[in-house]
Amino acid sequence: MGVHLIKGIAWTGKGVITKVEISMDDGYTWSSADILPGKNVGYGWVSWSFEWNISEKGEYTIKSRATDSFGQIQPNLPFWNKKGYGYNAIDKIKVKVE
């Protein structure tokens, strides 16, 4: 328990990343992450971070999603194609806090 730093990277094929959000309850609510200083140019990766202050033990599903300057938000499910090219769905990870 306590404060934990969650970090990641985001990318968009058009425009630039304008927002990254984190959910600790499997996508029911979302909180803004910090986009870290650096180049945020078209077709470039941006780094982000989020301080998670956790006070209760339990199992959590952490999701992250990005929004770009064209208003495109990562979808819940990816667009299917044979080899998985262009995967852009919301990422998620399950964690257990003891």
Side-chain angles (χ1 to χ4, degrees):
M1 297 195 294
V3 177
H4 298 274
L5 186 62
I6 299 171
K7 296 193 229 177
I9 54 176
W11 173 84
T12 183
K14 290 184 177 180
V16 296
I17 297 296
T18 57
K19 180 169 54 173
V20 175
E21 297 170 293
I22 304 296
S23 174
M24 303 305 176
D25 56 11
D26 200 23
Y28 291 102
T29 61
W30 294 90
S31 299
S32 292
D34 294 320
I35 296 176
L36 303 177
K39 287 186 177 181
N40 189 1
V41 296
Y43 300 99
W45 294 92
V46 295
S47 296
W48 57 265
S49 68
F50 180 80
E51 285 191 2
W52 182 28
N53 190 353
I54 181 67
S55 58
E56 292 186 30
K57 295 179 182 180
E59 294 183 7
Y60 297 87
T61 299
I62 302 171
K63 291 185 172 185
S64 64
R65 70 180 180 190
T67 302
D68 70 13
S69 55
F70 286 88
Q72 298 178 107
I73 302 171
Q74 285 180 272
N76 281 319
L77 299 172
F79 171 77
W80 185 90
N81 65 70
K82 190 172 183 176
K83 294 187 179 183
Y85 296 120
Y87 179 87
N88 69 333
I90 293 171
D91 284 328
K92 66 180 176 179
I93 187 169
K94 292 186 179 199
V95 297
K96 185 174 184 179
V97 177
E98 297 182 332

